[in-house]
Amino acid sequence: MNSQQFFEALWQDYTRLTPQAATIQQLFRDDGNSIVNDHVAFRTFADSAISLEQLEPHILGLGYDCFDEYRFAEKHLRARAYLPRESLQPRIFLSELLWAELSGESQQLCKAFIDQIDPNCVTNAEVFWIGRLWAMPHWSDYQSLLMESEYAAWLSIHGLHANHFTISVNVLKDDSLNYVNDLLRAAGFALNTSGGLVKGTPLSLLEQSATLADETMLTFADGDQHVVPTCYYEFAKRYRDDSGKLYQGFVADNANHIFHSTDRQLH
Ligand code: NI
């Protein structure tokens, strides 16, 4: 599978879970823009058959190099960012949950999911949209994870999928987050307001905003159905550093706020 086939299949899976994404792309096209994706992001469990180390060879095999590493102490995550060596494909941001840092109860829940993973599922790049590799959790276990780690709760019910795609604001006809946010709000999309509508500043070389995740109804192990968040769309504007080089990395403080895009909405 080459990187173009990879991203086409990934996009199909993502828009199935996140119908707003296709509508948003069309909204920007109809306003006279061409669409380039800045990055896609994935969530997974550390110390498992689908850990960052296990998944990384597929990313390298698609023509990418790792260029930076991140640690989100408060959210118990670590992450790596990858740049394509030649193609114009999006950057890849792969994070993993350091579940051994969670409470005993959450650790037991994560361990139970991980123990069910068939290692043979990880042998090709299609693993990135394979979904849940363990039985659906009970609603009470999902709620318990949610109290401690929204990331763990999201991962427990969805498994592996693109958590978000991100439109590059730099190539839009008006390359400002204000233009993006105004167009989205006028079309009725709800935005992530954690840390303000725009996360980051030109000084930090990266500004981002994001929609709130779509929602879907899932059946939990108890047989009960509940509405849960799926995935969201993100927007990123990159600035040039003092040497004139376009910033390629990610900013932990922005990401901390962006992670709230999959928080459960109360309505
Ligand atoms: Ni992102």
Side-chain angles (χ1 to χ4, degrees), residues 38-41 93 163-166 208 232 234-236 250 255 258:
D38 178 273
H39 66 272
V40 299
F93 185 83
N163 173 261
H164 60 271
F165 272 67
T166 305
Q208 289 160 280
Y232 58 95
E234 189 182 301
F235 309 86
F250 292 87
I258 293 277

Side-chain angles (χ1 to χ4, degrees), residues 215-243:
E215 294 179 327
T216 193
M217 180 93 86
L218 291 182
T219 306
F220 284 77
D222 332 67
D224 296 347
Q225 293 194 314
H226 296 277
V227 173
V228 294
T230 58
C231 312
Y232 58 95
Y233 217 157
E234 189 182 301
F235 309 86
K237 176 169 181 179
R238 296 179 180 277
Y239 288 85
R240 294 187 183 279
D241 64 17
D242 290 342
S243 69

Side-chain angles (χ1 to χ4, degrees), residues 15 21-22 31 40 58 76 89 106 110 153 160 168 181 186 210 239 248-249 251:
T15 51
D31 207 43
V40 299
H58 296 303
H76 309 291
Q89 301 291 4
S106 292
C110 294
L160 288 172
S168 168
N181 294 340
Y239 288 85
Q248 298 292 339
V251 176

Side-chain angles (χ1 to χ4, degrees), residues 85-260:
R85 285 190 281 272
E86 287 168 12
S87 71
L88 294 172
Q89 301 291 4
R91 297 163 191 81
I92 294 177
F93 185 83
L94 175 57
S95 63
E96 67 175 6
L97 177 68
L98 305 169
W99 53 275
E101 295 180 2
L102 301 180
S103 68
E105 191 188 351
S106 292
Q107 281 185 41
Q108 280 185 358
L109 289 170
C110 294
K111 177 89 167 51
F113 302 137
I114 288 164
D115 283 347
Q116 297 172 58
I117 300 173
D118 174 0
N120 294 322
C121 294
V122 196
T123 50
N124 66 59
E126 289 167 10
V127 68
F128 282 96
W129 55 91
I130 202 166
R132 224 172 359 92
L133 293 162
W134 46 87
M136 188 68 178
H138 287 264
W139 173 247
S140 56
D141 291 340
Y142 171 73
Q143 289 294 306
S144 159
L145 283 175
L146 205 50
M147 299 277 286
E148 195 177 359
S149 165
E150 182 281 329
Y151 184 111
W154 187 93
L155 190 54
S156 76
I157 57 171
H158 294 301
L160 288 172
H161 295 283
N163 173 261
H164 60 271
F165 272 67
T166 305
I167 287 184
S168 168
V169 175
N170 292 63
V171 302
L172 299 181
K173 65 176 189 184
D174 175 344
D175 63 350
S176 74
L177 264 308
N178 285 340
Y179 161 65
V180 168
N181 294 340
D182 288 349
L183 193 62
L184 289 167
R185 285 200 290 186
F189 289 99
L191 300 179
N192 172 331
T193 55
S194 171
L197 276 183
V198 178
K199 296 91 171 82
T201 64
L203 268 183
S204 67
L205 304 180
L206 179 63
E207 286 181 316
Q208 289 160 280
S209 68
T211 63
L212 290 179
D214 271 332
E215 294 179 327
T216 193
M217 180 93 86
L218 291 182
T219 306
F220 284 77
D222 332 67
D224 296 347
Q225 293 194 314
H226 296 277
V227 173
V228 294
T230 58
C231 312
Y232 58 95
Y233 217 157
E234 189 182 301
F235 309 86
K237 176 169 181 179
R238 296 179 180 277
Y239 288 85
R240 294 187 183 279
D241 64 17
D242 290 342
S243 69
K245 201 163 168 286
L246 193 68
Y247 182 67
Q248 298 292 339
F250 292 87
V251 176
D253 191 47
N254 295 13
N256 263 323
H257 291 299
I258 293 277
F259 279 122
H260 290 287

